[in-house]
Amino acid sequence: MAVEIPRSLLVQLRTALEDTPVGGYIPESSWALVWSGLAALAVWYIASREDRPIRYTISPANFPKEENILENPSIKVSGTSAIQCYAPATGQFLGFVNPSTPEGIDRAIDQAHAAQTEWAKTTFRQRRAVLRSLLQYVLDNQEEICRVACLDSGKTMVDAQLGEILVTAEKLQWTIKHGEKALRPESRPTNLLMAYKRNTVYYEPLGVVAALVSWNYPFHNLIGPVISALFAGNGIVVKVSEQTAWSSQWFTSVIRGALVAHGHNPALVQTVVCWPQTANHITSHPKISHITFIGSQPVCKKVAESASKALIPVLAELGGKDASIVLASTPKSDLPRIVNTLMRGTFQASGQNCIGIERIVAAPEHYDTLVSMLTPRVRALRLGPTSDVGAMISDNAFARLENLVADAVKAGARLLAGGKRYTHPEYPSGHYFVPTLLVDVTPEMAIAQEECFGPIMVVMRAASSSAEDILAVANAPDFGLGSSVFGSEWDSTLHEVVRGLKAGMVAVNDFGATYAVQLPFGGVAGSGYGRFAGEEGLRGLCNLKAVCEDRFGWLGVRTAIPRPMQYPVPDQERSWRFARGVVEVGYGMGLGRKVGGVVGILRNS
């Protein structure tokens, strides 16, 4: 931005300075330097003002005015295609949301495309400004965001503060600070034969991308893909879950408010909600350039099949069976801290956490101690919207979870707490499952293989403290999302286990730390493919355009086809020897072969 300072103002400033004690010591020859410094300060000041967030307002969330508790709450109601929204913790009716039709989805995608055409022309600084104002709004309105998320998903306020606010603030801050570095044009090396070329990779917007997100973190799962898409220069259509359709409407207005505050088209961000039979209209839409899918394996297979019709690339995050490993080298004095971490990692969001701790794998040296420490802690957990553990999103998984626990007990596991659904005396229409502690679980049991996605703590004993036996248990399921390992940093077994884990993310002496610092998020095997978050996540939403151009074109140094290689080829044998000489010059190992290549070129020219 050019800043013009009127000459009259400079004269006034000089007069004012000369009248001060400092002005008398400034030589005539130094005044030009003084003016340059003042001009630079003026530019910096104006620029810093432009980078300040804009505090904007939107309509408050539409909390229900009357308490209408549904007896048998469900999102499906006979006689209507509308989605019934209710609070999983209490059964309170929140309203109806009409699902999107194929025609409505088409309109949303077209509107996003029209807005993206202009958005793609914005600078990184302009995009940062929008995200900075969005971050300011999130920080200023943490309580309202948490209350909306809690009401629609059943989690507690503490769980929402950690899983909705903290991670969103981190993603916004990371993108503001480091996003441009990830997407700035990148110079790439050349080689001897192409030494006259300059090579660059550009990260360009794809257009309009889509995200199909799960219900367990209704605010963060919606806003996370939006942050990355916007900074990469894309428009986005987010298909939110039917389970959290009520909150998604307001969360969308939060995001759009930041765009409006900076004079951009809010249609750049679209959210739709629809029944499963309509979703394939999004996943096979020819105007969608990329799909981020967060959900289950069976649904992902349908999404990938649908996307293949339009050759749309898919990033898949499919949950996991994450192991938290306690090695023999773990100091006994550290066990209380680790137990606190295991409790938080297992029961946060009532266990409905894609990187939640699904299995605790303990070395024999600590197994009994851990079980004795965990048992009273799990038994003491209280259920309720203002208690320790909140509700599950629905009662659909209750029978499956009860059967997994019962089958494990029949196979020899010990049930020390919970294991069944719970009718809350104050909230009989809420969806609660008793926090469960299941020990002596073995790898062949179904509960050690399947993702529970509920408040179930599974504890497994490794055959020995060796890395081989630890990994045999940890790597048994067909999942590979995240994991955590506790032990001494000086223990070679710890490093061997970290390297040997079949997982996309590993936290050492911690839980879930990789996402808290925006490292690439994703897994292997049954946990999916591709990565979001970090540099890899941003670049995955771009067209990586490779550009090779002449470094000295202005001097006439350009690629020319040598005479022996020109069509029609005069002599195949001599041309082949000439080409072989070129290869030897470029790639021959040692000076002798390169010199021989030069000779071959000269003899066959």
Side-chain angles (χ1 to χ4, degrees), residues 348-410:
Q348 177 166 313
S350 197
Q352 301 165 120
N353 187 359
C354 56
I355 56 169
I357 296 173
E358 289 265 338
R359 296 172 297 148
I360 298 170
V361 181
E365 290 83 352
H366 292 305
Y367 184 85
D368 292 334
T369 303
L370 279 173
V371 170
S372 66
M373 295 175 72
L374 288 166
T375 301
R377 297 287 299 275
V378 177
R379 288 174 176 173
L381 290 175
R382 301 160 299 170
L383 287 165
T386 59
S387 297
D388 302 312
V389 180
M392 295 186 68
I393 193 69
S394 75
D395 58 3
N396 292 341
F398 286 175
R400 179 180 66 86
L401 295 178
E402 289 171 340
N403 289 334
L404 285 173
V405 172
D407 289 346
V409 171
K410 288 179 183 177

Side-chain angles (χ1 to χ4, degrees), residues 470-547:
I470 294 286
L471 290 169
V473 178
N475 288 336
D478 184 31
F479 285 99
L481 188 58
S483 57
S484 51
V485 185
F486 295 90
S488 170
E489 286 86 350
W490 308 105
D491 180 15
S492 61
T493 302
L494 183 145
H495 303 289
E496 191 174 345
V497 169
V498 170
R499 291 192 301 271
L501 279 167
K502 183 182 67 177
M505 301 167 287
V506 181
V508 178
N509 286 313
D510 208 335
F511 156 74
T514 54
Y515 194 54
V517 291
Q518 285 298 291
L519 288 174
F521 188 103
V524 296
S527 290
Y529 48 87
R531 298 291 185 270
F532 58 83
E535 292 186 4
E536 292 77 6
L538 278 178
R539 290 177 175 180
L541 294 174
C542 295
N543 170 38
L544 276 64
K545 181 179 286 184
V547 177

Side-chain angles (χ1 to χ4, degrees), residues 16 32 62 70 116 133 144 158 172 204 236 255 370 416 479 522:
N62 186 25
L70 304 172
Q116 190 272 337
S133 294
E144 187 173 18
V158 172
L172 281 164
E204 298 181 343
I236 186 169
I255 300 166
L370 279 173
L416 302 183
F479 285 99

Side-chain angles (χ1 to χ4, degrees), residues 95-140:
F96 283 101
V97 172
N98 289 319
S100 300
T101 63
E103 294 76 20
I105 292 170
D106 287 339
R107 287 192 296 272
I109 294 174
D110 287 342
Q111 290 171 14
H113 261 285
Q116 190 272 337
T117 301
E118 293 302 315
W119 179 253
K121 301 173 185 176
T122 57
T123 63
F124 287 126
R125 181 174 175 183
Q126 290 173 307
R127 298 172 194 174
R128 274 195 301 270
V130 171
L131 297 188
R132 192 175 287 110
S133 294
L134 182 54
L135 174 58
Q136 185 70 62
Y137 187 92
V138 171
L139 295 175
D140 289 346

